[in-house]
Amino acid sequence: MTEQLTVSVLGTGIMGAAMARNLARAGHTVRAWNRTRTKAEPLTADGVRVVDTPAEAVDGADVVLTMLYDGPATLEVMREAAPALRAGVAWVQSTTAGIDAIGDLAAFARAHDLVFFDAPVLGTRQPAEAGQLTVLAAGPQASRDAVAPVLDAVGARTVWTGEDGGAGSATRLKLVANSWVIAATAAAGEVLALSQSLDVDPNAFFELIAGGPLDMAYLKAKTGLILDDRLSPAQFAVTTAAKDARLIIEAGRANGVRLDVAAASAERLERAAAQGHGDEDMAAAYFASFDKNA
């Protein structure tokens, strides 16, 4: 029988809210905090206790799970939680924070005697809501059983990448995976924009590549969101994808690699956000192909 834990979820956006719900459905006691409390309130219908401060959320928790915007935001929130953090608590850090930020977060964990797990997730809204995320995790073997019930509640599988969460092996793998996701999304938007500008039926292109090595379910999924006007609610928002693209570029630059496609994708995403599409699905980078909103 799965051990029942008290889990603190800090950050209840698209992913964090779904993770909190699945933890509650698995029978865990869940306390959730979000900077904008009204966004977390719907979780009460799923048995999640929504609290006012990070410290209140982590008080007495067995596991703390963070799913915030970026590394600096995560560090700020954990500092707010620090007075109530208990030594020896497991911290499952699932924010896509970037390589440099993971080092800072791991240092905070050491300073407060927390067991640190670098555990970003691969997936979007739908798999998150279904508890079917892939968790990319690094952390000490001796403490993995303590967090297994949490990882099992939010994900379909866990891919372990190392023993030291502070080394960032899981985050590095996540950045590689997201570089492909972002590139593929940008290409999907551009092929749709180009076909329309050339008066080519997009379905003619889809039929052309059907069943061959160029065929891709992801292409049809993302272009379908645009063609069917289903960009909200976002599976993965434009603004978040732009942030991740910048983390990817920075990681490449720091390691002597120039990532031209990632740089162009970041610019497209930021342009789409400036056009008012920031909260829509990242497929809305499609609109960046036009001088004005399509």
Side-chain angles (χ1 to χ4, degrees):
M1 186 174 180
T2 301
E3 182 182 358
Q4 305 306 295
L5 304 172
T6 297
V7 184
S8 165
V9 178
L10 303 179
T12 59
I14 292 173
M15 306 297 282
M19 296 165 93
R21 286 191 181 95
N22 284 317
L23 286 162
R25 288 168 185 164
H28 301 295
T29 298
V30 182
R31 291 198 296 268
W33 171 88
N34 194 66
R35 194 166 297 282
T36 304
R37 177 170 176 144
T38 54
K39 293 183 178 179
E41 285 293 350
L43 292 170
T44 59
D46 298 278
V48 175
R49 181 185 169 199
V50 177
V51 298
D52 291 321
T53 68
E56 188 179 356
V58 305
D59 188 21
D62 299 302
V63 179
V64 175
L65 187 154
T66 48
M67 180 54 89
L68 295 148
Y69 179 69
D70 60 10
T74 302
L75 186 57
E76 177 187 350
V77 169
M78 288 300 285
R79 284 172 173 161
E80 293 177 31
L85 286 169
R86 178 169 50 86
V89 166
W91 175 14
V92 176
Q93 201 308 104
S94 293
T95 304
T96 303
I99 296 170
D100 290 342
I102 286 297
D104 295 336
L105 299 177
F108 176 93
R110 288 192 298 272
H112 292 81
D113 198 21
L114 308 178
V115 183
F116 184 69
F117 289 86
D118 177 23
V121 297
L122 195 60
T124 55
R125 179 189 293 270
Q126 287 182 346
E129 291 177 346
Q132 295 294 303
L133 295 166
T134 297
V135 182
L136 313 176
Q141 180 74 47
S143 298
R144 291 179 187 178
D145 286 348
V147 299
V150 171
L151 304 185
D152 290 345
V154 303
R157 66 172 179 145
T158 300
V159 177
W160 289 99
T161 63
E163 284 270 334
D164 180 7
S169 59
T171 284
R172 293 197 302 272
L173 180 56
K174 174 64 186 297
L175 293 179
V176 170
N178 271 15
S179 72
W180 171 244
V181 170
I182 290 168
T185 302
E190 286 199 349
V191 77
L192 183 59
L194 180 62
S195 66
Q196 292 173 329
S197 69
L198 298 180
D199 197 25
V200 172
D201 183 350
N203 288 316
F205 169 64
F206 299 147
E207 291 169 6
L208 179 65
I209 64 172
L214 296 178
D215 201 359
M216 187 179 179
Y218 188 81
L219 166 67
K220 294 174 185 175
K222 286 301 181 187
T223 54
L225 294 179
I226 299 164
L227 292 169
D228 298 338
D229 193 21
R230 291 184 290 111
L231 292 166
S232 293
Q235 294 292 317
F236 186 50
V238 166
T239 52
T240 306
K243 179 265 296 184
D244 286 2
R246 289 299 174 191
L247 292 176
I248 290 162
I249 295 162
E250 291 166 10
R253 183 182 298 120
N255 289 277
V257 177
R258 178 171 173 170
L259 301 173
D260 295 328
V261 172
S265 297
E267 291 176 5
R268 285 178 60 80
L269 288 159
E270 289 161 359
R271 200 157 64 245
Q275 292 174 337
H277 301 284
D279 293 333
E280 295 176 353
D281 189 84
M282 64 187 297
Y286 156 84
F287 293 105
S289 291
F290 308 97
D291 290 334
K292 296 181 180 179
N293 288 358

